[in-house]
Amino acid sequence: MEYKVEVEFGSIYELLNSLHTYLCKKSYKKIDLGVAWVTEIESTLSEELLSRLKETELNNEWKMLNLLIYCCPFKDDVDSVLNWIEGLTVGELYETLSKYVKVFPSHMEDYRNRVVFLLFEWNRQYFSQCNPAILSKLQQHTDLKNMEFNALETADFVNKTTNGFYFMPTDGLKKLVLIPQYHFQPANIIYCYGELTICHYAAWISMENEEISPFMYRAIRSLGEKSRLKILQALSGGRKTFTEIVKHAGISKGIVHDHIFNLRCAGLLHAYIEGENVTGYSLRLEGIHRMNEQLFDYLK
């Protein structure tokens, strides 16, 4: 592997991920927090913030905000990060971002003012009132992953940490930053900025003391469709593209996409990523072995 890998966490990242989770309406039914979480939050937000959120899209400007926060020299204290962004001049914004990208928001000052409002108000009205155990568990997870790093080959470490991702070496890629997140579980968020790729991955932390492992339960549930079993069987022969999987399954692309999402989140598939695109999938046997081990341990 030709690029450097780092695991990084700061409370500002989870603030950003919680806001991303709210903005990503198409994922409401797929995330662990569910639609009830969205409904509960909306009942507490001001009309002005709700109006601004409706105008906000997960587009290139949002992608730029993720980069800007990554470039902040300190990330442990949310208020310090937000004050840093607010205090940047237009020239400093361009200078900070131009290290990685060449396309910028058309009106940089307006852009900065919009994101500052969203981040400050989202933090005040929602994130600052979140269960502090979320941040504590994410930090513990990060510390554990950094301890594991030297004990594994880099590709194996990334695969284990992200529950099945392989980031393929591409021209120009120099650094992969892995950021654990809670709110958008079990999904992941990947942004590529030339030599830098940032992956916000599901950390598999839970706020409840559950007798049954959520990981085991998700893996078992993911097998409850014949079409998903057919997909796994097809991938046992080696890596395949999405188009090849659709052809083998004999069902619509939309349904195959949902099946792959469930299998991927259960850790039963490898996903091969180039830039921000998944170029293929293969069977992840270690995910199946882990499910079996957890099931046997539970039944003892």
Side-chain angles (χ1 to χ4, degrees), residues 72 74 77-88 116 120:
C72 180
F74 39 81
D77 179 69
V78 167
D79 288 335
S80 296
V81 178
L82 301 187
N83 289 331
W84 176 78
I85 296 175
E86 185 178 34
L88 290 173
V116 164
F120 267 109

Side-chain angles (χ1 to χ4, degrees), residues 13-35 37-38 41 53 58 62 122 126 181-189 191 200:
Y13 283 135
E14 192 58 23
L15 182 152
L16 192 65
N17 276 301
S18 65
L19 185 49
H20 177 108
T21 304
Y22 178 84
L23 293 171
C24 193
K25 293 179 173 59
K26 65 181 182 180
S27 296
Y28 285 176
K29 293 182 179 180
K30 295 181 178 180
I31 61 172
D32 289 346
L33 290 176
V35 178
W37 173 80
V38 179
I41 288 177
L53 289 170
L58 297 175
W62 183 260
W122 182 259
Y126 169 70
Q181 55 88 10
Y182 164 76
H183 278 82
F184 205 49
Q185 295 180 139
N188 308 277
I189 307 163
Y191 291 124
H200 300 266

Side-chain angles (χ1 to χ4, degrees), residues 226-264:
K226 290 182 179 179
S227 295
R228 293 178 192 170
L229 294 174
K230 287 178 65 177
I231 290 172
L232 291 176
Q233 183 185 48
L235 293 174
S236 65
R239 177 177 169 181
K240 286 182 171 57
T241 65
F242 178 79
T243 301
E244 290 171 330
I245 295 172
V246 170
K247 183 177 180 181
H248 178 89
I251 51 181
S252 71
K253 291 182 179 179
I255 295 176
V256 171
H257 183 273
D258 287 343
H259 286 332
I260 287 178
F261 176 84
N262 278 279
L263 293 169
R264 231 296 305 154

Side-chain angles (χ1 to χ4, degrees), residues 109-179:
E109 187 172 6
D110 290 342
Y111 167 72
R112 181 201 59 203
N113 293 339
R114 289 198 308 274
V115 300
V116 164
F117 173 85
L118 282 178
L119 295 176
F120 267 109
E121 287 303 310
W122 182 259
N123 182 49
R124 184 177 69 84
Q125 297 185 40
Y126 169 70
F127 188 72
S128 63
Q129 302 170 50
C130 281
N131 185 346
I134 295 174
L135 298 181
S136 177
K137 288 191 175 185
L138 286 170
Q139 186 60 63
Q140 291 171 11
H141 170 93
T142 304
D143 294 342
L144 177 63
K145 287 300 171 183
N146 281 314
M147 290 175 60
E148 290 179 354
F149 185 81
N150 293 326
L152 296 169
E153 294 292 330
T154 303
D156 293 335
F157 173 79
V158 173
N159 171 45
K160 179 181 178 182
T161 300
T162 61
N163 206 28
F165 283 164
Y166 279 122
F167 289 86
M168 310 306 292
T170 57
D171 290 341
L173 178 59
K174 295 181 180 179
K175 182 187 288 188
L176 169 64
V177 179
L178 303 176
I179 301 169

